[in-house]
Amino acid sequence: MRKFAMAVTTALVMAGAGQVLAQGTVKIGAIYPLSGNAASAGQSSKAAIEMAVDIVNQDLLDLGDLAMAKGAGLTNMKGAKVEVVFADNQGTPAAGQSQALRLITEEKVAAIVGAYQSGITLTASAVAERYGIPFLTPESVATNLTERGFKWFFRATPITSDLAAAYIDFLKERRAAGKKIDSIAIVNENTEYGSSIAESLRKAFGANGFNVTMEIPYSANTSDVQPQVLQLKDKNPDLVIFVTYTSDAILYAKAMRSLNYRPTMMLADNAGFNDPAFVEQVGNLVEGVINRSAFAPGNPGTIPHRINEMFKAKTGRDLDDPSARAMMGMLVMCDAINRAGGTEPAKIQAALKATDLKVNQILTGYRGVKFDEKGQNILAFTLITQMHDGKYVPVWPAGQASAPVKDYVGWR
Amino acid sequence: MSPILLQVIVGGLLLGAVYALFSSGLTLIWGMMNVVNFAHGDFVMLAMYVAFWTWAIIGGGPLLFTPLAAFALAVLGVVVYFGVVKPVMGGPMLAQMLGTFGLALFLRYSAFWAFTANFRTLPEDMIPGSFVVGGVRFEAAKVVAGIVALLLTIGLHLLLTKTRLGSRMLAVSEDRQAAMLMGIRPDRMQAIAWALAAGATGVAGALIATFFYVSPTVGETLAVIAFVVVSLGGFGSVPGALVAGLLIGVIESLSAFWIGAVYKDVLVYALFLVVLWVRPQGLFGKL
Amino acid sequence: MARFVLAVAIAIALVFPLVFSGAFYERVAALTLLYAIAASAWNLIGGYAGQVSVGHVVFFGCGAYGAAVAYSEWGLPPIAGLPLGVGAAVLLAALVGVPTLRLSGHYFTMATVALAELIRILVGNVPVLGAAVGLMGPAVPRSVWDLSFTSSLPYYYLFLAVLAGLLLFTWWMERSRMGFYLRAIKGSERAARSLGIPVGRYKLYALMLSAGFTAVAGALYLVMVGFVDPDSGVGILLSVKMLIMAALGGAGTLFGPLIGALILVPLEEISNSLLGGQGSGVTFVVYGGIILLIAVFQPGGILAMVAGWWRKS
């Protein structure tokens, strides 16, 4: 026991040694799933946040009006540099909470961003609330997060109802263009992400005269998806919507090909079908799939394209939607700290509340960033994209589209 | 019978064959040595990576990477036997679980560290195409996996029951002391058993990689069902694993099609519990 | 001598968090005790009776969900759900114990795995239990009875008291008739039966007791963490952790699970803190590697090793 206590002390001292702050550095914590089933997404978000820090710390002139791009470091704080401290939530709410506590009390971070999975954002932000440290989630969508009466919690991402509204508007246009959408099937994985998106979609479709005729929930990380595909093939609905993680998305794409099933119109909600690994390796099996994304690289010469090139140079893969939202979330946080002019939590909190980023200052497809009294970004929005020749391009809304919508092709 | 339903059943049988293929190595170890290998799923994962990298680096196909994976895993099996299993065999059963659990985490995250968490897939044309018989589509990659599962099962079963090596291995698993008195070297026999089991697992992993995705945590996805397959069939019974695998595959497919994909595993687990209630030694096991 | 060691250990446990202050380390200490409770509860059936369950997380889940439901359904403080959780766990143990405890060795283990997975899937589809989204405790404490503290120290001492109670009970059980029966059953069921021991009944008692205490750990978990979903409350990995901690320290010994938790929980938390941020997976390479080494070099658990030294000196 005593030996153990000594070992722990040694570990503490060692952990403490790395903490000496460089002069003029602001530490921000970032909690992501860096191991476990969601690690692939977490690692990509980590790279995106590192790039956001580069954007802040370097004086980049070719990124237009993007928040924090001009000027090196936090310009209102004598060019202080931002340092990000990553922590692994290991995919469990308890670990997320432990790490939030460590970031606040040991690393003395000024603010935290994270934590990908909604359940972990929930527990980690509860710690930040207790300690009065601003917590911003760039990507967790569960509705209850902003319903807790928290004062230190902010959310930059669109939530499920925003996404459903975007789909509805898009599908209404398709209908007006003469496409038949009388029957809709929703295939969703059955954890928090899939089931809450499916529920939002079901409600929104019902309220807007769209008929959800089939719902196929299934367990994530399944070993086989053929029966689900056969159910779809049997009923052949006009529109099929997939809400899945990467592993299952790969299996669906392969199963649809091997069972020779091409839906008339196919829509995939983000996550799995948006994973760069999916796009790169099986994207050619789902040509014409419609997706949503807050980010689309666009044409050469545009700022999103430039950012995607920077990300590609760093990681070797394209910037995907959740990672783009993570990057944006980090920039929003840095912008607030810069305007706060210091690291006192209350000042950062006030600056976050006063955030008013315009469309030209952000890299994601939001209409801006502005928080309501619950901490939700009321200007959050998403683009609709489509797989064209193995790459997603924005096809809606018209102002941001770079190609017209086409019919589903599948594989060639 | 409607063609769709027939397709569901065929899909279930092919899936079941994959389960059987996945489980044959596990049941061999379990039956021969009474060792629960928590790292089994991670063995399969490593075999899948052998297949993937063989293709990615030198462009080799299944004819090259399947034997390669079998060999690599057989070597790993022997190393694991002498490095991990043999030292813990003397301890309580829990020590084996502890050891193989530690090994599982170690292997899984070593792969994670070396290959990152990115999902990878082999190209579609590794074992290309699918063919249609009587309105039912057969995916070539899975048919190959199914045939190999069948051959592997028959091969292992014959080896255990008809050859001198097999009877020596069984003798060691029945009574180590007595086997030693008869001049059999238990260490050698058990190392061979591990090499065989891990080699079979290597074949399984390589073939599954042709139609599945590869990631460091992929073993977990398949491992729980493999444990159910093995115990439903009866520990140590290679034909039992085949029958149980096929049974579970068909039940999963039919229940996913009829009742709903969420509940397919509920049905499998419930059935498993009922079988144990009636036959506590599994379908083909000995008490 | 043994008494002296025990007294020193208790003294250290009491003052430890006061000496090593720092909110994060207090939390690690509290979590260590929480897992020690769960592992010690598992030890009753898995260690003493030798029935290796890998499904104990369902009893843990009973406690966690019982506490969560007390808040979400009736607006009570979560801890008020403790009796509900414990009751549900004991009842469930009685229901599943009768058919599964007949099974021998690995078949029992596999049955518990199947049961745990089955229940995890079902929980994910029950709206009252929050389905896939999960249930949370009170986001902002309403009264002191919500037991929602910023500091981990109150939890530390609460868990310490519960653990002490559980260990006292276990110590008493070891010496009672039941302890004798369980050891006999673990040694050889057939022999125990021929001695006239009601094997089935005592295994069932052990399972029910174990389930009840595991549910206590679950309820305490919810009180501290404030959230439960199917993966964190009924996920199989937690079962494995209970088993691993007990086995590492020494299954079927009074202090084994505590020793295991004292090693594994700080190891996991601190290695995650030092290495996790890299995102390279090294945390688990180290964690898995250390478990592997202990198993290989000390299959009987840490306590057996210490006992060995003790006898030599």
Side-chain angles (χ1 to χ4, degrees), chain A residues 208-241:
Chain A
N208 285 281
F210 286 96
N211 230 347
V212 177
T213 48
M214 269 180 106
E215 287 191 55
I216 309 180
Y218 71 94
S219 306
N221 285 324
T222 183
S223 49
D224 181 47
V225 298
Q226 295 218 8
Q228 289 94 297
V229 174
L230 288 171
Q231 274 176 300
L232 293 170
K233 195 176 177 182
D234 194 22
K235 297 275 171 9
N236 200 16
D238 297 333
L239 168 64
V240 180
I241 301 178

mmCIF file of all heavy atoms in Angstrom, chain A residues 208-241:
data_model
loop_
_atom_site.group_PDB
_atom_site.id
_atom_site.type_symbol
_atom_site.label_atom_id
_atom_site.label_comp_id
_atom_site.label_asym_id
_atom_site.label_seq_id
_atom_site.Cartn_x
_atom_site.Cartn_y
_atom_site.Cartn_z
ATOM 1 N N ASN A 208 -44.775 16.996 -42.157
ATOM 2 C CA ASN A 208 -44.643 17.685 -43.435
ATOM 3 C C ASN A 208 -45.165 16.885 -44.619
ATOM 4 O O ASN A 208 -44.756 17.107 -45.751
ATOM 5 C CB ASN A 208 -43.176 18.058 -43.669
ATOM 6 C CG ASN A 208 -42.755 19.242 -42.823
ATOM 7 O OD1 ASN A 208 -43.044 20.384 -43.131
ATOM 8 N ND2 ASN A 208 -42.105 18.945 -41.708
ATOM 9 N N GLY A 209 -46.034 15.937 -44.337
ATOM 10 C CA GLY A 209 -46.667 15.207 -45.425
ATOM 11 C C GLY A 209 -45.782 14.202 -46.136
ATOM 12 O O GLY A 209 -46.011 13.873 -47.296
ATOM 13 N N PHE A 210 -44.740 13.726 -45.450
ATOM 14 C CA PHE A 210 -43.958 12.626 -46.006
ATOM 15 C C PHE A 210 -44.263 11.358 -45.223
ATOM 16 O O PHE A 210 -44.405 11.396 -43.998
ATOM 17 C CB PHE A 210 -42.454 12.924 -45.936
ATOM 18 C CG PHE A 210 -41.996 13.934 -46.931
ATOM 19 C CD1 PHE A 210 -41.871 15.268 -46.579
ATOM 20 C CD2 PHE A 210 -41.683 13.548 -48.228
ATOM 21 C CE1 PHE A 210 -41.441 16.213 -47.504
ATOM 22 C CE2 PHE A 210 -41.249 14.490 -49.141
ATOM 23 C CZ PHE A 210 -41.137 15.823 -48.799
ATOM 24 N N ASN A 211 -44.343 10.262 -45.939
ATOM 25 C CA ASN A 211 -44.805 9.028 -45.334
ATOM 26 C C ASN A 211 -43.662 8.073 -45.004
ATOM 27 O O ASN A 211 -43.055 7.518 -45.917
ATOM 28 C CB ASN A 211 -45.732 8.330 -46.338
ATOM 29 C CG ASN A 211 -47.014 7.926 -45.676
ATOM 30 O OD1 ASN A 211 -47.104 7.954 -44.440
ATOM 31 N ND2 ASN A 211 -47.987 7.554 -46.470
ATOM 32 N N VAL A 212 -43.359 7.891 -43.727
ATOM 33 C CA VAL A 212 -42.349 6.885 -43.374
ATOM 34 C C VAL A 212 -43.057 5.534 -43.302
ATOM 35 O O VAL A 212 -43.873 5.294 -42.426
ATOM 36 C CB VAL A 212 -41.680 7.200 -42.026
ATOM 37 C CG1 VAL A 212 -40.702 6.102 -41.652
ATOM 38 C CG2 VAL A 212 -40.963 8.532 -42.096
ATOM 39 N N THR A 213 -42.759 4.672 -44.271
ATOM 40 C CA THR A 213 -43.511 3.411 -44.363
ATOM 41 C C THR A 213 -42.762 2.245 -43.736
ATOM 42 O O THR A 213 -43.336 1.216 -43.453
ATOM 43 C CB THR A 213 -43.796 3.071 -45.834
ATOM 44 O OG1 THR A 213 -42.589 3.207 -46.578
ATOM 45 C CG2 THR A 213 -44.853 3.990 -46.402
ATOM 46 N N MET A 214 -41.474 2.397 -43.551
ATOM 47 C CA MET A 214 -40.689 1.293 -42.997
ATOM 48 C C MET A 214 -39.655 1.856 -42.043
ATOM 49 O O MET A 214 -39.004 2.851 -42.362
ATOM 50 C CB MET A 214 -39.894 0.593 -44.110
ATOM 51 C CG MET A 214 -40.565 -0.542 -44.783
ATOM 52 S SD MET A 214 -39.410 -1.159 -46.037
ATOM 53 C CE MET A 214 -38.872 -2.647 -45.244
ATOM 54 N N GLU A 215 -39.499 1.209 -40.898
ATOM 55 C CA GLU A 215 -38.394 1.574 -40.035
ATOM 56 C C GLU A 215 -37.632 0.305 -39.695
ATOM 57 O O GLU A 215 -38.213 -0.666 -39.237
ATOM 58 C CB GLU A 215 -38.905 2.236 -38.761
ATOM 59 C CG GLU A 215 -39.405 3.639 -39.031
ATOM 60 C CD GLU A 215 -39.654 4.398 -37.743
ATOM 61 O OE1 GLU A 215 -38.726 4.493 -36.932
ATOM 62 O OE2 GLU A 215 -40.797 4.850 -37.557
ATOM 63 N N ILE A 216 -36.345 0.326 -39.932
ATOM 64 C CA ILE A 216 -35.526 -0.862 -39.677
ATOM 65 C C ILE A 216 -34.384 -0.492 -38.739
ATOM 66 O O ILE A 216 -33.292 -0.163 -39.192
ATOM 67 C CB ILE A 216 -34.965 -1.455 -40.988
ATOM 68 C CG1 ILE A 216 -36.090 -1.642 -42.005
ATOM 69 C CG2 ILE A 216 -34.247 -2.767 -40.713
ATOM 70 C CD1 ILE A 216 -35.639 -2.224 -43.331
ATOM 71 N N PRO A 217 -34.633 -0.517 -37.430
ATOM 72 C CA PRO A 217 -33.509 -0.312 -36.519
ATOM 73 C C PRO A 217 -32.688 -1.594 -36.413
ATOM 74 O O PRO A 217 -33.227 -2.695 -36.547
ATOM 75 C CB PRO A 217 -34.184 -0.001 -35.180
ATOM 76 C CG PRO A 217 -35.565 -0.540 -35.281
ATOM 77 C CD PRO A 217 -35.901 -0.742 -36.728
ATOM 78 N N TYR A 218 -31.398 -1.470 -36.244
ATOM 79 C CA TYR A 218 -30.549 -2.653 -36.094
ATOM 80 C C TYR A 218 -29.414 -2.314 -35.123
ATOM 81 O O TYR A 218 -29.157 -1.146 -34.855
ATOM 82 C CB TYR A 218 -29.982 -3.079 -37.464
ATOM 83 C CG TYR A 218 -28.940 -2.132 -37.982
ATOM 84 C CD1 TYR A 218 -27.595 -2.352 -37.744
ATOM 85 C CD2 TYR A 218 -29.321 -0.968 -38.644
ATOM 86 C CE1 TYR A 218 -26.641 -1.446 -38.169
ATOM 87 C CE2 TYR A 218 -28.372 -0.058 -39.064
ATOM 88 C CZ TYR A 218 -27.033 -0.307 -38.821
ATOM 89 O OH TYR A 218 -26.088 0.598 -39.221
ATOM 90 N N SER A 219 -28.747 -3.322 -34.582
ATOM 91 C CA SER A 219 -27.666 -3.106 -33.627
ATOM 92 C C SER A 219 -26.377 -2.728 -34.346
ATOM 93 O O SER A 219 -25.981 -3.407 -35.295
ATOM 94 C CB SER A 219 -27.411 -4.364 -32.797
ATOM 95 O OG SER A 219 -28.603 -4.776 -32.200
ATOM 96 N N ALA A 220 -25.734 -1.669 -33.880
ATOM 97 C CA ALA A 220 -24.494 -1.225 -34.507
ATOM 98 C C ALA A 220 -23.412 -2.287 -34.378
ATOM 99 O O ALA A 220 -23.494 -3.174 -33.533
ATOM 100 C CB ALA A 220 -24.014 0.066 -33.853
ATOM 101 N N ASN A 221 -22.384 -2.188 -35.231
ATOM 102 C CA ASN A 221 -21.287 -3.160 -35.242
ATOM 103 C C ASN A 221 -21.786 -4.571 -35.434
ATOM 104 O O ASN A 221 -21.368 -5.506 -34.780
ATOM 105 C CB ASN A 221 -20.481 -3.098 -33.955
ATOM 106 C CG ASN A 221 -19.589 -1.892 -33.933
ATOM 107 O OD1 ASN A 221 -19.051 -1.501 -34.966
ATOM 108 N ND2 ASN A 221 -19.459 -1.288 -32.775
ATOM 109 N N THR A 222 -22.728 -4.709 -36.343
ATOM 110 C CA THR A 222 -23.307 -6.013 -36.597
ATOM 111 C C THR A 222 -22.394 -6.781 -37.552
ATOM 112 O O THR A 222 -21.542 -6.200 -38.217
ATOM 113 C CB THR A 222 -24.710 -5.845 -37.201
ATOM 114 O OG1 THR A 222 -25.287 -7.123 -37.384
ATOM 115 C CG2 THR A 222 -24.664 -5.122 -38.541
ATOM 116 N N SER A 223 -22.569 -8.093 -37.596
ATOM 117 C CA SER A 223 -21.707 -8.863 -38.477
ATOM 118 C C SER A 223 -22.347 -9.080 -39.838
ATOM 119 O O SER A 223 -21.701 -9.553 -40.755
ATOM 120 C CB SER A 223 -21.368 -10.213 -37.836
ATOM 121 O OG SER A 223 -22.540 -10.822 -37.378
ATOM 122 N N ASP A 224 -23.622 -8.759 -39.986
ATOM 123 C CA ASP A 224 -24.301 -9.040 -41.247
ATOM 124 C C ASP A 224 -25.491 -8.105 -41.424
ATOM 125 O O ASP A 224 -26.244 -7.861 -40.491
ATOM 126 C CB ASP A 224 -24.791 -10.493 -41.258
ATOM 127 C CG ASP A 224 -25.492 -10.841 -42.553
ATOM 128 O OD1 ASP A 224 -24.944 -10.512 -43.619
ATOM 129 O OD2 ASP A 224 -26.592 -11.411 -42.514
ATOM 130 N N VAL A 225 -25.661 -7.566 -42.636
ATOM 131 C CA VAL A 225 -26.783 -6.649 -42.860
ATOM 132 C C VAL A 225 -27.681 -7.109 -44.005
ATOM 133 O O VAL A 225 -28.601 -6.408 -44.402
ATOM 134 C CB VAL A 225 -26.275 -5.219 -43.167
ATOM 135 C CG1 VAL A 225 -25.484 -4.674 -41.990
ATOM 136 C CG2 VAL A 225 -25.433 -5.192 -44.431
ATOM 137 N N GLN A 226 -27.411 -8.311 -44.540
ATOM 138 C CA GLN A 226 -28.161 -8.745 -45.719
ATOM 139 C C GLN A 226 -29.678 -8.787 -45.501
ATOM 140 O O GLN A 226 -30.426 -8.361 -46.377
ATOM 141 C CB GLN A 226 -27.648 -10.117 -46.167
ATOM 142 C CG GLN A 226 -26.215 -10.047 -46.635
ATOM 143 C CD GLN A 226 -25.953 -10.944 -47.823
ATOM 144 O OE1 GLN A 226 -26.862 -11.505 -48.395
ATOM 145 N NE2 GLN A 226 -24.695 -11.067 -48.194
ATOM 146 N N PRO A 227 -30.159 -9.286 -44.337
ATOM 147 C CA PRO A 227 -31.618 -9.330 -44.168
ATOM 148 C C PRO A 227 -32.260 -7.948 -44.279
ATOM 149 O O PRO A 227 -33.342 -7.817 -44.861
ATOM 150 C CB PRO A 227 -31.796 -9.899 -42.767
ATOM 151 C CG PRO A 227 -30.556 -10.660 -42.495
ATOM 152 C CD PRO A 227 -29.469 -9.925 -43.217
ATOM 153 N N GLN A 228 -31.591 -6.924 -43.766
ATOM 154 C CA GLN A 228 -32.147 -5.581 -43.852
ATOM 155 C C GLN A 228 -32.241 -5.137 -45.319
ATOM 156 O O GLN A 228 -33.242 -4.567 -45.745
ATOM 157 C CB GLN A 228 -31.273 -4.580 -43.079
ATOM 158 C CG GLN A 228 -31.332 -4.713 -41.564
ATOM 159 C CD GLN A 228 -30.236 -5.592 -41.009
ATOM 160 O OE1 GLN A 228 -30.189 -6.776 -41.313
ATOM 161 N NE2 GLN A 228 -29.359 -5.035 -40.201
ATOM 162 N N VAL A 229 -31.170 -5.418 -46.054
ATOM 163 C CA VAL A 229 -31.178 -5.036 -47.464
ATOM 164 C C VAL A 229 -32.278 -5.789 -48.205
ATOM 165 O O VAL A 229 -32.976 -5.232 -49.061
ATOM 166 C CB VAL A 229 -29.797 -5.304 -48.108
ATOM 167 C CG1 VAL A 229 -29.843 -5.056 -49.609
ATOM 168 C CG2 VAL A 229 -28.744 -4.423 -47.461
ATOM 169 N N LEU A 230 -32.480 -7.050 -47.836
ATOM 170 C CA LEU A 230 -33.531 -7.831 -48.503
ATOM 171 C C LEU A 230 -34.920 -7.311 -48.150
ATOM 172 O O LEU A 230 -35.828 -7.322 -48.982
ATOM 173 C CB LEU A 230 -33.403 -9.310 -48.142
ATOM 174 C CG LEU A 230 -32.205 -10.000 -48.805
ATOM 175 C CD1 LEU A 230 -32.005 -11.387 -48.246
ATOM 176 C CD2 LEU A 230 -32.390 -10.050 -50.314
ATOM 177 N N GLN A 231 -35.085 -6.855 -46.916
ATOM 178 C CA GLN A 231 -36.367 -6.245 -46.539
ATOM 179 C C GLN A 231 -36.650 -5.054 -47.434
ATOM 180 O O GLN A 231 -37.768 -4.865 -47.909
ATOM 181 C CB GLN A 231 -36.329 -5.783 -45.069
ATOM 182 C CG GLN A 231 -36.689 -6.860 -44.063
ATOM 183 C CD GLN A 231 -36.535 -6.338 -42.646
ATOM 184 O OE1 GLN A 231 -35.459 -5.931 -42.233
ATOM 185 N NE2 GLN A 231 -37.622 -6.341 -41.895
ATOM 186 N N LEU A 232 -35.616 -4.233 -47.655
ATOM 187 C CA LEU A 232 -35.769 -3.052 -48.500
ATOM 188 C C LEU A 232 -36.091 -3.465 -49.931
ATOM 189 O O LEU A 232 -36.982 -2.927 -50.569
ATOM 190 C CB LEU A 232 -34.487 -2.211 -48.475
ATOM 191 C CG LEU A 232 -34.149 -1.545 -47.146
ATOM 192 C CD1 LEU A 232 -32.751 -0.959 -47.194
ATOM 193 C CD2 LEU A 232 -35.161 -0.452 -46.814
ATOM 194 N N LYS A 233 -35.352 -4.462 -50.410
ATOM 195 C CA LYS A 233 -35.533 -4.912 -51.786
ATOM 196 C C LYS A 233 -36.957 -5.440 -51.983
ATOM 197 O O LYS A 233 -37.580 -5.239 -53.020
ATOM 198 C CB LYS A 233 -34.502 -6.001 -52.092
ATOM 199 C CG LYS A 233 -34.352 -6.280 -53.563
ATOM 200 C CD LYS A 233 -33.257 -7.286 -53.850
ATOM 201 C CE LYS A 233 -33.210 -7.562 -55.355
ATOM 202 N NZ LYS A 233 -32.202 -8.553 -55.713
ATOM 203 N N ASP A 234 -37.456 -6.094 -50.945
ATOM 204 C CA ASP A 234 -38.787 -6.680 -50.985
ATOM 205 C C ASP A 234 -39.845 -5.591 -51.170
ATOM 206 O O ASP A 234 -40.748 -5.702 -51.990
ATOM 207 C CB ASP A 234 -39.014 -7.441 -49.672
ATOM 208 C CG ASP A 234 -40.212 -8.359 -49.771
ATOM 209 O OD1 ASP A 234 -40.588 -8.709 -50.907
ATOM 210 O OD2 ASP A 234 -40.774 -8.724 -48.718
ATOM 211 N N LYS A 235 -39.726 -4.505 -50.372
ATOM 212 C CA LYS A 235 -40.767 -3.462 -50.380
ATOM 213 C C LYS A 235 -40.453 -2.335 -51.360
ATOM 214 O O LYS A 235 -41.343 -1.610 -51.764
ATOM 215 C CB LYS A 235 -40.900 -2.873 -48.968
ATOM 216 C CG LYS A 235 -41.371 -3.899 -47.925
ATOM 217 C CD LYS A 235 -42.867 -3.982 -47.937
ATOM 218 C CE LYS A 235 -43.480 -5.104 -47.116
ATOM 219 N NZ LYS A 235 -42.684 -5.890 -46.234
ATOM 220 N N ASN A 236 -39.179 -2.193 -51.689
ATOM 221 C CA ASN A 236 -38.688 -1.157 -52.594
ATOM 222 C C ASN A 236 -39.311 0.229 -52.394
ATOM 223 O O ASN A 236 -40.017 0.732 -53.271
ATOM 224 C CB ASN A 236 -38.851 -1.610 -54.048
ATOM 225 C CG ASN A 236 -37.932 -0.817 -54.968
ATOM 226 O OD1 ASN A 236 -36.991 -0.176 -54.495
ATOM 227 N ND2 ASN A 236 -38.214 -0.834 -56.244
ATOM 228 N N PRO A 237 -39.053 0.871 -51.271
ATOM 229 C CA PRO A 237 -39.581 2.219 -51.035
ATOM 230 C C PRO A 237 -38.928 3.245 -51.965
ATOM 231 O O PRO A 237 -37.857 2.994 -52.509
ATOM 232 C CB PRO A 237 -39.211 2.496 -49.583
ATOM 233 C CG PRO A 237 -38.083 1.576 -49.299
ATOM 234 C CD PRO A 237 -38.241 0.385 -50.177
ATOM 235 N N ASP A 238 -39.598 4.412 -52.130
ATOM 236 C CA ASP A 238 -39.086 5.432 -53.050
ATOM 237 C C ASP A 238 -37.793 6.054 -52.529
ATOM 238 O O ASP A 238 -36.939 6.466 -53.301
ATOM 239 C CB ASP A 238 -40.123 6.548 -53.221
ATOM 240 C CG ASP A 238 -41.393 6.008 -53.850
ATOM 241 O OD1 ASP A 238 -41.297 5.003 -54.575
ATOM 242 O OD2 ASP A 238 -42.475 6.575 -53.593
ATOM 243 N N LEU A 239 -37.694 6.149 -51.210
ATOM 244 C CA LEU A 239 -36.505 6.766 -50.629
ATOM 245 C C LEU A 239 -36.023 5.904 -49.464
ATOM 246 O O LEU A 239 -36.816 5.505 -48.616
ATOM 247 C CB LEU A 239 -36.847 8.181 -50.121
ATOM 248 C CG LEU A 239 -35.802 8.859 -49.227
ATOM 249 C CD1 LEU A 239 -34.517 9.109 -49.987
ATOM 250 C CD2 LEU A 239 -36.346 10.170 -48.677
ATOM 251 N N VAL A 240 -34.740 5.606 -49.451
ATOM 252 C CA VAL A 240 -34.153 4.858 -48.348
ATOM 253 C C VAL A 240 -33.165 5.765 -47.619
ATOM 254 O O VAL A 240 -32.324 6.400 -48.253
ATOM 255 C CB VAL A 240 -33.414 3.603 -48.847
ATOM 256 C CG1 VAL A 240 -32.818 2.844 -47.682
ATOM 257 C CG2 VAL A 240 -34.351 2.706 -49.619
ATOM 258 N N ILE A 241 -33.318 5.856 -46.301
ATOM 259 C CA ILE A 241 -32.420 6.687 -45.506
ATOM 260 C C ILE A 241 -31.612 5.799 -44.567
ATOM 261 O O ILE A 241 -32.171 5.018 -43.795
ATOM 262 C CB ILE A 241 -33.211 7.713 -44.680
ATOM 263 C CG1 ILE A 241 -34.032 8.604 -45.617
ATOM 264 C CG2 ILE A 241 -32.277 8.556 -43.817
ATOM 265 C CD1 ILE A 241 -34.889 9.617 -44.903
#
